[in-house]
Amino acid sequence: RVTLLERSPQLGGLIDVAEVETRKIDLRNYRRSLVRRTLRSGIDVRLGAEATPESVRALAPDALIVAVGSRPIRPGIPGADGPNAMQALDAYRHPERIGRRVVVLGGGEIGCELALGLAEAGHETTLLEMQAALAPNGNALYRAALLLLIAGESRLTCHVKATCRGITPEGVRYEDADGTERRIDADTVILAVGMRAERDVADAFLDCAPDVRVIGDCVRPRRVDEATLEGFHAGWSV
């Protein structure tokens, strides 16, 4: 007998952004398939139910699988908590909050995809990445196609080896590769600098059942296929 506790009002976790990311058709279909199969499986699904150690102990489970995920990193940049700064996930979920001129901090896969999508939607967009390359961890075919699209988008400007030094009401201060400080005017600054495992949350459940397994992004943020496989093996071996 399986009980699934989910604190949000819907299933699907962080890949709910696939519902608004136009190019992620396969991921969107995969998410919808998982949700449908879960709801049809006879699992006791409890939405809007944030698990606590006390509520889990009250269920007296024989086994507990903890998959509480990860949270966006808020960098220690002056102004990162200002009213014109927002996380990448919030940008997907609340596009109405995004101004005409946008700076995206972080040129990983999420930052690149988001910046490209905003530029295509008509926003004047600048992407800043500290490293020397964009989307360095993407697979070769994906990355090549993404970089071609970025290069062909006139409303998107990219700077690598660019370190953000501060977010102000007017925009962003950053340092380029030769150490020169520059400014970019922006209405909205979007933070896409990665995810941090919710390990502290997961650790609170370690004594809530005889058999406790911690899986997915709360161990280490990773790709969808890796987290899915880990979840499969955890469930299958209980």
Side-chain angles (χ1 to χ4, degrees):
R1 291 185 294 111
V2 178
T3 300
L4 175 59
L5 304 179
E6 169 54 47
R7 68 181 177 184
S8 76
Q10 63 182 13
L11 297 176
L14 294 179
I15 59 173
D16 64 347
V17 299
E19 297 293 333
V20 293
E21 174 58 67
T22 57
R23 291 189 176 87
K24 293 191 176 294
I25 298 172
D26 291 337
L27 184 59
R28 180 161 58 250
N29 289 338
Y30 176 64
R31 174 185 179 273
R32 292 176 180 179
S33 173
L34 282 181
V35 171
R36 283 196 303 268
R37 290 160 60 193
T38 299
L39 294 176
R40 293 172 181 172
S41 66
I43 293 171
D44 179 6
V45 177
R46 304 182 187 182
L47 299 176
E50 182 163 4
T52 64
E54 294 74 23
S55 66
V56 170
R57 289 192 192 99
L59 295 172
D62 300 306
L64 174 65
I65 297 174
V66 183
V68 293
S70 58
R71 63 183 181 272
I73 294 172
R74 185 175 295 279
I77 298 170
D81 57 352
N84 60 335
M86 65 190 306
Q87 292 286 354
L89 293 176
D90 292 328
Y92 277 116
R93 294 163 180 164
H94 302 285
E96 73 282 356
R97 300 180 187 173
I98 302 173
R100 183 181 64 83
R101 301 170 303 171
V102 181
V103 172
V104 177
L105 301 183
E109 293 178 37
I110 292 177
C112 287
E113 291 171 351
L114 181 56
L116 178 61
L118 289 171
E120 291 173 336
H123 297 268
E124 182 183 323
T125 308
T126 303
L127 177 62
L128 300 183
E129 166 54 43
M130 291 179 60
Q131 305 302 319
L134 298 176
N137 297 321
N139 70 64
L141 289 176
Y142 164 86
R143 183 170 181 270
L146 183 62
L147 293 181
L148 281 174
L149 291 170
I150 288 173
E153 177 49 64
S154 61
R155 287 179 292 265
L156 176 56
T157 302
C158 300
H159 300 288
V160 296
K161 297 183 180 179
T163 303
C164 181
R165 295 304 185 192
I167 299 171
T168 68
E170 293 75 33
V172 165
R173 294 184 293 104
Y174 77 97
E175 187 177 295
D176 65 15
D178 63 7
T180 303
E181 185 168 295
R182 303 185 183 278
R183 298 176 183 269
I184 304 174
D185 293 334
D187 304 307
T188 306
V189 180
I190 299 176
L191 309 175
V193 296
M195 306 293 289
R196 177 175 289 115
E198 291 272 29
R199 188 70 209 205
D200 51 341
V201 178
D203 286 348
F205 295 94
L206 293 180
D207 63 351
C208 290
D211 180 5
V212 179
R213 302 157 193 243
V214 180
I215 65 168
D217 277 9
C218 62
V219 176
R220 174 178 55 83
R222 66 195 78 188
R223 300 197 313 263
V224 174
D225 59 336
E226 294 173 317
T228 301
L229 185 62
E230 190 173 23
F232 169 80
H233 285 301
W236 189 256
S237 61
V238 168

